[in-house]
Amino acid sequence: QMNPKNARIMAQTVLAKLKGIDPANAAYYEQNAKAFLMRLDQKVVEWKSLCAHCAGKEIISYHDDIAYFADFLGLKADQFLEPKPGIPPTPKHLQFLEDYVKEHQVKAIVMPTYFTREAAETLAKRVGAKVVTICQGVGEVPGTDDFFSFFDYNVKQISEGLK
């Protein structure tokens, strides 16, 4: 779900299922799906435009859950604060990342809202990077109450963090 382009596939799957369960209201479901997909197409253009300056830039992510979102925005995300999923960063790994960030001129450390920011903030201070917090789900932070506001928030966070 972290690549908004995948919402097209999800919407078409939900549409097919709803039409199968409730064929009497198929036209209503088709109308809503069409409206959603039209808005999606507009928002994808908007989001890509807002983050055009981000394409090709490298970030450090807390862990590899950002892959689909990074791909959508054209970001490179090859290094992670967690050396392995579920393993907090060790001092040795943080030193590696500090050297890596300096060498590759990484400007942002991107992390979800639900992890502690301590390691990210420490690393960011040492290298002059920003910590950027993004959501992993709708409603996770105020103002992300639906699919579109969720991506509005995340795209804005990345756009501002990489300026």
Side-chain angles (χ1 to χ4, degrees):
Q1 91 218 12
M2 289 301 290
N3 184 332
K5 287 185 175 180
N6 289 338
R8 177 171 293 285
I9 298 165
M10 292 183 275
Q12 291 168 337
T13 301
V14 169
L15 172 62
K17 190 66 170 178
L18 288 172
K19 286 170 49 177
I21 293 171
D22 184 17
N25 289 305
Y28 173 75
Y29 300 132
E30 287 174 2
Q31 178 184 358
N32 284 339
K34 182 179 178 183
F36 175 83
L37 293 173
M38 286 178 55
R39 185 166 180 210
L40 176 64
D41 290 342
Q42 293 168 344
K43 293 300 278 185
V44 164
V45 170
E46 178 185 320
W47 294 326
K48 290 273 197 174
S49 177
L50 185 62
C51 275
H53 67 282
C54 302
K57 291 188 179 177
E58 186 167 9
I59 60 171
I60 301 294
S61 179
Y62 195 87
H63 63 179
D64 64 0
D65 64 346
I66 197 163
Y68 293 103
F69 191 53
D71 182 56
F72 170 69
L73 295 176
L75 298 171
K76 182 179 177 186
D78 294 335
Q79 299 297 326
F80 310 101
L81 274 175
E82 285 186 332
K84 293 183 180 179
I87 306 296
T90 63
K92 183 177 179 180
H93 186 63
L94 287 172
Q95 184 59 57
F96 163 78
L97 289 175
E98 183 176 338
D99 296 340
Y100 185 91
V101 166
K102 288 176 183 176
E103 181 180 334
H104 293 88
Q105 300 176 346
V106 176
K107 303 287 185 215
I109 301 164
V110 179
M111 60 183 300
T113 61
Y114 48 81
F115 284 115
T116 178
R117 294 173 57 98
E118 185 179 345
E121 293 285 357
T122 299
L123 178 60
K125 279 184 186 173
R126 289 184 185 165
V127 298
K130 295 178 186 175
V131 176
V132 176
T133 305
I134 62 169
C135 298
Q136 297 294 318
V138 170
E140 199 170 302
V141 299
T144 61
D145 301 325
D146 62 35
F147 175 85
F148 295 107
S149 61
F150 163 77
F151 276 104
D152 284 341
Y153 176 86
N154 283 347
V155 168
K156 182 179 178 191
Q157 292 295 102
I158 296 290
S159 177
E160 293 295 319
L162 289 174
K163 281 188 177 173

